[in-house]
Amino acid sequence: MTAATHSTLFPQAPDSADAVLEGLDPEQREVATALHGPVCVLAGAGTGKTRAITHRIAYGVRAGILQPSSVLAVTFTNRAAGEMRGRLRQLGAAGVQARTFHSAALRQLQYFWPKAIGGSMPRLVDRKIQLVADAAAACHIRLDRNELRDVTAEIEWSKVTQTVPADYALATAKAGRDTPRDPAETAQIYNVYEDLKRDRSVIDFEDVLLLTVGILQDRHDIADQVRSQYQHFVVDEYQDVSPLQQRLLELWLGNRDNLCVVGDASQTIYSFTGATPDHLLDFRTRHPGATVVKLVRDYRSTPQVVHLANGLLAQARGRAADHRLELISQRDPGPEPVYTEYTDEPAEAEGAARRIRELMDAGVPASEIAILFRTNSQSEAYEQALADAGVPYQLRGAERFFDRPEVRKAGIALRGAARFGGNDALLDDAVDLPSQVRAVLSGEGWTTEPPAGSGAVRERWESLAALVNLAQDFAAAKPGATLADLVAELDERANAQHAPTVQGVTLASLHSAKGLEWDVVFLVGVAEGMMPITYAKTDEQIEEERRLLYVGVTRARRHLHVSWALTRAPGGRPNRRPSRFLDGLRPGSTATVGRTAMGGSGGVERGFTSRPDAVPRRAQRTPARCRVCGRTLTDAGEMKLMRCEDCPSDMDEGLYERLREWRGVQARLSGQPDFCIFTDRTLMAIAEAEPSSPVELSRISGVLKRKLDRYGADVLAICAGQEPGGDVDGE
């Protein structure tokens, strides 16, 4: 580990208040020293806003101006709150409360419930979707899984905007909200949902905020008690505050103005949840004497990436656009963004996976690469493409690291070894800390080499490998550290939700990528209909889609790849075009490029053009429909199988097993993991479709040209009941 890496992972706390200010740029220093009165920090992407506000708190604490217990810093995700707590601890400002709005409100609600309400507080439900399903059933309204999610989102929006069921229809019309169902039906379900909660003595996360607001409004004695505890407030990502959160913040503040807010209206991407940048944009109106500081020095991205980001916002319209920040890169120049057009989405996924494989072979860590997409349904194609290319990956938005069962079990095992390791012969032979950790975790399933394939087994191994890597970094940073020291570090990280890095390419939606960054970012599916999304109709909805793309672009430090496909599936009419947001920004934007059905890699990079008639016209492809019940399919996994997940499978089990046996032989011959030949899901789709010709086989998602050429004859022979390697007739 280099000294720089050492200081980044495990820095020493500054030895004085003035030392806290060292290394800050002039604007960040202005933020850090503005400790009185209302402060508004307008911070562009990559400008070090978290650094500025944590140093502000730490400087105030170290200078004796702020008492740690009197400061409440709130943000929007547990990860962000955990990162803030970790940084404050490293700066010598332990004891400051850094929490999400919900977490801070829940603590207060639990503490004051006996005094304000009496009795035991109702149980908090983690997921409300089952309650919504029960409410819909009570209304005799049938909802499928997607409709359940939509109605649940509408209920959440109603509650954070403080809209009661009776006012839902009027409120959505006033907001110009595109409702997924008839407003009267949604209002009916919403009303019954609230009744069910009362009957079952449960509350949801929105109730936590509503009830806390109600108590603070009605009980002045309790409000005074909270205000005597917290006297200084910091709000991160202020552009994402909902009306309900703003009301809670006002009640915490009372008539005081010791408030620092940080935000960027150009990163407002959660309006569908009730978030609004109005509170940020109106801050100076509500607080005429506020100190306003703009952070525009971008330390994250190269000038080339920043130029594209600024170009996107330069075309924006609306109130948020009027307050956009022009970023100035502080990094050395890097490569220009790469723009690639593909004939279809499977080719786009395969192209991204191939490029990533090349980057990794050139030494780029998988953990420094991300694929970002507009909707979660796009993920499956990239999961398969990466698996086929032998590239490890992790899904962003999945279970939190320290909540994973294998990580919990590993923690218990390490804690036990730290207590009783002297009686373990295996540990006695492991002289250093990393060796001890490897010895303990080998009993939990860790091995020196990763398991073949993807899925749950590989994910468990990746979790354990992340702990092994953390132990190595920890031992290098703190020579002589014991197993007990590492366990204490893990406990602190778990409390802060500061997960170690998992060595895999990140797959994430643009929404879930907010607040993260990578050396290499692939923005995929940047085509009309996906970016902006089809259902974005109004000017404001279109502008939010533009901001979402801006967030995606600004996640990249150095390499940025932007791609789109001319059609969804092989054989479809190439009638898509690149996103309008790229017009005037990408070179050769008027060219139409593509590939033939059986030719090449499927992509044409920036700088290459061809005649418009170079793209072959295909027959119009009808929407994918379930071959069992006939329903239109939208989920990528269901489209691969050509049936609904809940519909019965007509798979030939014997054929599936023969295909698996053949795949195992091919994997051994080529020295690759099984999934690099074909994934289990692709084999299942083949066994269900039983193709009899190369054309039929090529229609199965996952059977791209390269694999069709290499394995098609064998697969068709097996499907025909023949031995692989024989002659197979085809079209």
Side-chain angles (χ1 to χ4, degrees):
M1 179 184 293
T2 65
T5 305
H6 180 161
S7 63
T8 299
L9 290 174
F10 306 100
Q12 298 297 316
D15 56 11
S16 67
D18 288 341
V20 172
L21 302 178
E22 293 177 2
L24 300 181
D25 68 30
E27 293 79 24
Q28 292 171 343
R29 182 181 286 258
E30 186 178 355
V31 173
T33 54
L35 296 174
H36 300 287
V39 178
C40 179
V41 183
L42 302 175
T47 57
K49 68 177 179 64
T50 305
R51 177 180 174 82
I53 57 176
T54 52
H55 280 68
R56 176 184 186 271
I57 296 170
Y59 176 71
V61 169
R62 300 295 294 276
I65 299 171
L66 304 178
Q67 293 299 315
S69 60
S70 72
V71 180
L72 177 59
V74 288
T75 188
F76 285 82
T77 67
N78 287 312
R79 184 198 61 81
E83 179 185 356
M84 195 178 292
R85 285 195 296 270
R87 292 200 191 192
L88 289 169
R89 190 179 71 221
Q90 292 164 359
L91 291 169
V96 172
Q97 292 294 311
R99 298 184 173 275
T100 65
F101 270 101
H102 283 91
S103 174
L106 181 59
R107 289 192 79 202
Q108 293 175 20
L109 191 62
Q110 290 170 330
Y111 183 81
F112 290 112
W113 187 275
K115 180 178 180 180
I117 309 296
S120 300
M121 197 178 94
R123 179 175 61 87
L124 178 63
V125 292
D126 291 333
R127 298 177 71 249
K128 60 173 67 68
I129 201 161
Q130 185 56 56
L131 268 172
V132 175
D134 293 345
C139 297
H140 305 292
I141 298 173
R142 185 175 181 180
L143 302 176
D144 63 24
R145 285 174 298 170
N146 291 330
E147 291 170 328
L148 265 176
R149 285 194 293 267
D150 288 342
V151 172
T152 299
E154 289 302 295
I155 291 174
E156 291 173 350
W157 174 84
S158 300
K159 299 185 77 164
V160 300
T161 56
Q162 302 178 80
T163 302
V164 297
D167 296 337
Y168 169 77
L170 182 61
T172 55
K174 184 178 180 181
R177 190 171 179 83
D178 189 11
T179 57
R181 294 188 67 82
D182 177 75
E185 279 190 350
T186 301
Q188 183 184 6
I189 296 171
Y190 178 16
N191 189 57
V192 174
Y193 168 80
E194 292 296 315
D195 290 340
L196 284 179
K197 285 198 291 105
R198 283 190 290 271
D199 294 343
R200 299 177 186 182
S201 296
V202 297
I203 58 174
D204 60 28
F205 276 101
E206 289 71 41
D207 290 329
V208 170
L209 299 182
L210 285 164
L211 289 166
T212 305
V213 164
I215 289 173
L216 294 178
Q217 284 181 161
D218 296 341
R219 292 291 300 268
H220 298 294
D221 56 330
I222 293 177
D224 289 342
Q225 193 173 341
V226 171
R227 291 166 191 159
S228 67
Q229 170 70 52
Y230 296 117
Q231 292 152 26
H232 302 272
F233 297 86
V234 177
V235 184
D236 194 13
E237 304 288 3
Y238 193 54
Q239 77 279 350
D240 292 330
V241 166
S242 71
L244 180 56
Q245 290 164 332
Q246 175 65 21
R247 180 58 185 144
L248 178 59
L249 178 62
E250 291 167 354
L251 288 166
W252 283 339
L253 273 168
N255 58 5
R256 299 166 300 174
D257 61 3
N258 284 327
L259 171 66
C260 174
V261 301
V262 189
D264 178 10
S266 296
Q267 296 187 67
T268 305
I269 59 173
Y270 297 109
S271 66
F272 62 92
T273 67
T276 171
D278 289 345
H279 304 301
L280 175 66
L281 298 177
D282 294 338
F283 189 84
R284 282 167 287 185
T285 301
R286 296 196 313 273
H287 304 277
T291 299
V292 179
V293 184
K294 294 183 179 180
L295 302 182
V296 296
R297 301 175 196 247
D298 188 327
Y299 297 95
R300 175 188 299 156
S301 304
T302 62
Q304 288 74 17
V305 174
V306 168
H307 178 72
L308 176 57
N310 285 336
L312 282 171
L313 293 188
Q315 300 177 358
R317 299 290 182 268
R319 192 171 182 222
D322 293 340
H323 294 80
R324 65 180 178 271
L325 300 168
E326 185 84 9
L327 299 178
I328 304 170
S329 175
Q330 306 297 299
R331 294 194 56 178
D332 293 334
E336 291 288 341
V338 175
Y339 301 87
T340 310
E341 186 171 86
Y342 293 92
T343 298
D344 51 61
E345 290 181 1
E348 185 179 10
E350 185 184 45
R354 184 177 57 256
R355 289 168 181 263
I356 289 171
R357 182 74 266 175
E358 292 168 355
L359 287 165
M360 291 174 60
D361 291 343
V364 178
S367 59
E368 286 298 342
I369 304 173
I371 298 176
L372 307 182
F373 33 76
R374 177 61 180 85
T375 66
N376 288 318
S377 64
Q378 295 169 267
S379 171
E380 199 270 344
Y382 291 90
E383 292 178 56
Q384 175 170 319
L386 292 175
D388 289 347
V391 174
Y393 65 86
Q394 59 173 330
L395 286 170
R396 178 74 189 168
E399 191 174 25
R400 294 191 300 182
F401 182 83
F402 288 103
D403 291 340
R404 298 175 188 174
E406 66 271 18
V407 174
R408 288 184 174 182
K409 285 185 64 180
I412 292 171
L414 289 169
R415 188 171 286 103
R419 290 180 182 171
F420 309 111
N423 299 322
D424 191 326
L426 189 62
L427 284 183
D428 289 342
D429 294 334
V431 293
D432 61 2
L433 176 59
S435 298
Q436 291 177 351
V437 171
R438 287 192 290 268
V440 173
L441 297 187
S442 64
E444 300 299 319
W446 177 82
T447 55
T448 54
E449 294 296 326
S454 57
V457 173
R458 179 61 183 249
E459 290 175 4
R460 285 195 294 272
W461 184 89
E462 294 284 0
S463 297
L464 298 177
L467 293 175
V468 171
N469 293 334
L470 176 63
Q472 293 170 341
D473 290 342
F474 188 71
K478 296 189 175 182
T482 66
L483 201 53
D485 295 331
L486 177 65
V487 169
E489 173 70 14
L490 289 175
D491 287 342
E492 288 188 357
R493 282 172 169 261
N495 290 332
Q497 285 300 327
H498 182 194
T501 301
V502 176
Q503 293 301 319
V505 172
T506 300
L507 290 172
S509 70
L510 287 165
H511 283 101
S512 64
K514 178 79 165 60
L516 303 175
E517 59 186 75
W518 297 269
D519 282 345
V520 185
V521 168
F522 287 77
L523 290 175
V524 300
V526 188
E528 286 292 307
M530 192 60 73
M531 181 60 66
I533 199 77
T534 305
Y535 52 76
K537 303 294 186 183
T538 67
D539 290 344
E540 181 48 44
Q541 288 169 342
I542 296 294
E543 288 306 314
E544 181 145 342
E545 293 289 300
R546 186 194 305 276
R547 295 194 295 267
L548 191 56
L549 182 58
Y550 171 80
V551 166
V553 167
T554 55
R555 299 310 95 194
R557 298 192 191 105
R558 182 171 176 80
H559 296 276
L560 180 63
H561 296 257
V562 183
S563 65
W564 58 91
L566 296 177
T567 186
R568 182 183 64 80
R573 180 185 294 275
N575 55 4
R576 290 182 179 174
R577 64 173 296 267
S579 169
R580 71 190 75 172
F581 300 145
L582 299 178
D583 290 349
L585 299 176
R586 63 183 182 91
S589 58
T590 58
T592 303
V593 291
R595 68 174 175 96
T596 61
M598 305 299 285
S601 66
V604 179
E605 294 188 9
R606 176 187 60 82
F608 290 85
T609 61
S610 63
R611 301 186 319 275
D613 61 358
V615 179
R617 295 181 67 82
R618 311 274 183 95
Q620 178 67 43
R621 187 178 181 88
T622 57
R625 296 187 182 278
C626 174
R627 52 193 167 78
V628 180
C629 70
R631 183 178 70 86
T632 299
L633 301 177
T634 56
D635 179 77
E638 293 181 340
M639 286 191 287
K640 177 184 285 293
L641 296 175
M642 291 306 293
R643 63 173 172 82
C644 303
E645 184 179 328
D646 298 332
C647 285
S649 169
D650 54 359
M651 182 178 71
D652 183 330
E653 296 285 353
L655 174 57
Y656 178 66
E657 289 305 318
R658 290 195 299 275
L659 288 168
R660 282 175 56 88
E661 291 175 7
W662 165 82
R663 182 183 66 175
V665 172
Q666 295 298 318
R668 288 192 294 274
L669 289 174
S670 62
Q672 302 179 83
D674 287 2
F675 69 88
C676 287
I677 309 301
F678 284 117
T679 63
D680 286 347
R681 187 172 285 236
T682 299
L683 291 186
M684 186 181 298
I686 293 171
E688 290 191 354
E690 298 186 51
S692 59
S693 71
V695 171
E696 291 179 1
L697 181 57
S698 70
R699 289 172 182 158
I700 296 173
S701 177
V703 184
L704 301 176
K705 179 185 180 301
R706 174 173 55 83
K707 297 199 174 186
L708 182 66
D709 291 345
R710 185 168 183 179
Y711 303 120
D714 278 3
V715 170
L716 290 172
I718 295 169
C719 290
Q722 303 169 5
E723 287 298 316
D727 293 330
V728 179
D729 293 330
E731 294 182 5

